[in-house]
Amino acid sequence: MAEALLLSRQVALVGLGAIPGAWLRLRVVNHFEPVVPRKHWGTFAVNVVAAFGLGLVLGLNSSAPADPASGSHGLTLLIGTGFFGSLSTFSTFAVELLNCLRAQQWLEAVVLALGSILGGLLLAAAGYALGVA
């Protein structure tokens, strides 16, 4: 019974964070679509911002003890997994990268892929370092 209650609380935290994250992604990507040459640059922007934010949340929680009531860090579930997890979108990134490759936009595909992966890693590390500091 206690385990089911714990799981329900974890699911609720992730769900409560995911709703505004997904809404914000939709708003940002749609807002930037007429401004940037291709829609995938809006996706790129939300993905690297989410990587930084998730790194920051994990850095802030790195030294905090786990919340025994949730079985994990409640803040990590709500903001990290829920909000930043739904703000970012790997599947859309993969499809947009595939579309660049299919259109033979080789340079743009390389810039998008390396920028997303390396930029995401660097920003996640920067967020984590800031959170730990």
Side-chain angles (χ1 to χ4, degrees):
M1 178 67 173
E3 200 169 298
L5 188 58
L6 174 63
L7 180 60
S8 296
R9 183 167 188 266
Q10 291 171 336
V11 168
L13 285 170
V14 172
L16 287 172
I19 293 167
W23 176 84
L24 183 60
R25 174 175 26 104
L26 176 69
R27 299 289 299 169
V28 168
V29 170
N30 287 344
H31 175 76
F32 282 109
E33 186 173 3
V35 178
V36 294
R38 294 201 175 55
K39 187 175 182 173
H40 54 251
W41 295 116
T43 302
F44 168 81
V46 295
N47 283 348
V48 295
V49 166
F52 176 83
L54 181 56
L56 179 64
V57 168
L58 293 177
L60 290 170
N61 280 325
S62 66
S63 62
D67 178 7
S70 70
S72 182
H73 299 287
L75 183 65
T76 302
L77 290 171
L78 178 70
I79 297 173
T81 305
F83 181 78
F84 288 121
S86 68
L87 177 64
S88 65
T89 173
F90 181 79
S91 57
T92 302
F93 158 70
V95 167
E96 290 173 349
L97 180 59
L98 179 62
N99 287 339
C100 277
L101 293 170
R102 291 179 63 207
Q104 298 181 352
Q105 298 167 332
W106 309 118
L107 180 60
E108 191 156 358
V110 168
V111 170
L112 179 62
L114 291 178
S116 295
I117 295 167
L118 295 177
L121 285 170
L122 290 172
L123 284 168
Y128 186 84
L130 182 63
V132 170

